[in-house]
Amino acid sequence: MKNLGILLSGRGSNFEAIAHSVAAGQIPARIAVVISNREDAPGLARAWQMGLPARCIPSQGKEREAYDREVVAVLKEHGVDIVCLAGFMRILSPYFIHEFPHRILNIHPALLPAFPGTDAQKRALEYGVKYTGCTVHLVDEGVDTGPIICQAVVPVRDDDTVETLSARILEEEHRIYPEAIRLVAEDRIRLEGRRVLIQPRLPAGE
Ligand code: GRF
């Protein structure tokens, strides 16, 4: 059973999707701690309501690595094995990344490497792509550049607005993020260069 640490800054709908999968026994893991860098994040309030260990570590005015050292200390205190970024609006320092090698996941609302960074749905719509989607990837030192674990494709409709497109992408996010976490929790991913290869699931008992 692996320990998950969830980092968020806002709404927390991906966190909720993960929490539901965990509660339904679909991921062999427990949520050991939820950390928000913002006191007013709705996701933080939701974690408290769910009775999960959750705390705010404010990031405002703190130097990046000093902040990350505080966060890593709390993650380690809770025995976290896998860190899930769920709308955590900060770039991690190399220090943080090296503390959890290949054990930090992020969800991005576009088909990477297209549209990294913020406002991905808006930029995809404005660019005129016919298909966009979402990506779960391992976090490396770049912005949304790490090895890709899984993706889901969402067609763009002619009458889409940023809101309607984002909503359809979000549904897919809620589906693939828990799946990707399950693969990592089951130790079923192997890296070959940038490629993440998925090992088959062993039949029960093996
Ligand atoms: C999602 O669109 C996710 O892809 C991006 O930030 C947003 C977080 O939404 N990284 P939520 O807080 O999980 O509802």
Side-chain angles (χ1 to χ4, degrees):
M1 186 67 94
K2 296 283 198 315
N3 283 333
L4 307 181
I6 313 273
L7 304 191
L8 54 80
S9 303
R11 184 174 55 182
S13 71
N14 277 288
F15 148 63
E16 279 200 57
I18 297 164
H20 288 139
S21 284
V22 166
Q26 288 156 355
I27 302 176
R30 54 190 275 275
I31 296 181
V33 66
V34 178
I35 298 172
S36 170
N37 66 319
R38 296 182 53 123
E39 186 75 59
D40 59 356
L44 182 61
R46 197 67 196 104
W48 280 323
Q49 279 170 8
M50 291 169 127
L52 292 170
R55 70 159 93 168
C56 177
I57 306 179
S59 56
Q60 213 180 8
K62 287 180 190 157
E63 187 270 323
R64 186 176 312 284
E65 188 175 313
Y67 179 73
D68 283 3
R69 283 183 185 272
E70 280 184 52
V71 173
V72 167
V74 172
L75 293 171
K76 300 236 154 152
E77 231 171 73
H78 287 83
V80 165
D81 306 294
I82 302 168
V83 180
C84 305
L85 308 185
F88 188 60
M89 299 306 285
R90 289 181 60 82
I91 294 166
L92 304 188
S93 61
Y95 162 77
F96 194 144
I97 290 156
H98 291 140
E99 288 297 308
F100 291 94
H102 306 312
R103 284 290 175 273
I104 309 174
L105 279 65
N106 184 41
I107 177 97
H108 182 74
L111 291 176
L112 291 171
F115 310 111
T118 54
D119 292 325
Q121 304 95 324
K122 178 169 184 277
R123 287 185 293 120
L125 188 66
E126 287 173 357
Y127 192 93
V129 294
K130 298 297 183 190
Y131 294 91
T132 180
C134 50
T135 303
V136 181
H137 64 93
L138 295 172
V139 174
D140 66 9
E141 290 176 23
V143 176
D144 302 323
T145 52
I148 292 170
I149 302 173
C150 60
Q151 296 186 299
V153 176
V154 174
V156 179
R157 296 182 187 155
D158 287 353
D159 60 354
D160 260 331
T161 61
V162 178
E163 289 70 31
T164 59
L165 180 59
S166 301
R168 290 206 313 290
I169 295 173
L170 196 63
E171 271 180 44
E172 292 300 302
E173 293 183 34
H174 296 165
R175 188 176 64 77
I176 70 168
Y177 206 1
E179 271 180 26
I181 296 168
R182 176 168 62 84
L183 293 173
V184 176
E186 290 176 346
D187 284 322
R188 286 174 54 204
I189 68 163
R190 190 163 56 82
L191 268 174
E192 212 177 87
R194 279 197 52 89
R195 299 182 69 204
V196 174
L197 307 179
I198 314 284
Q199 310 299 115
R201 197 179 205 167
L202 289 177
E206 284 185 42

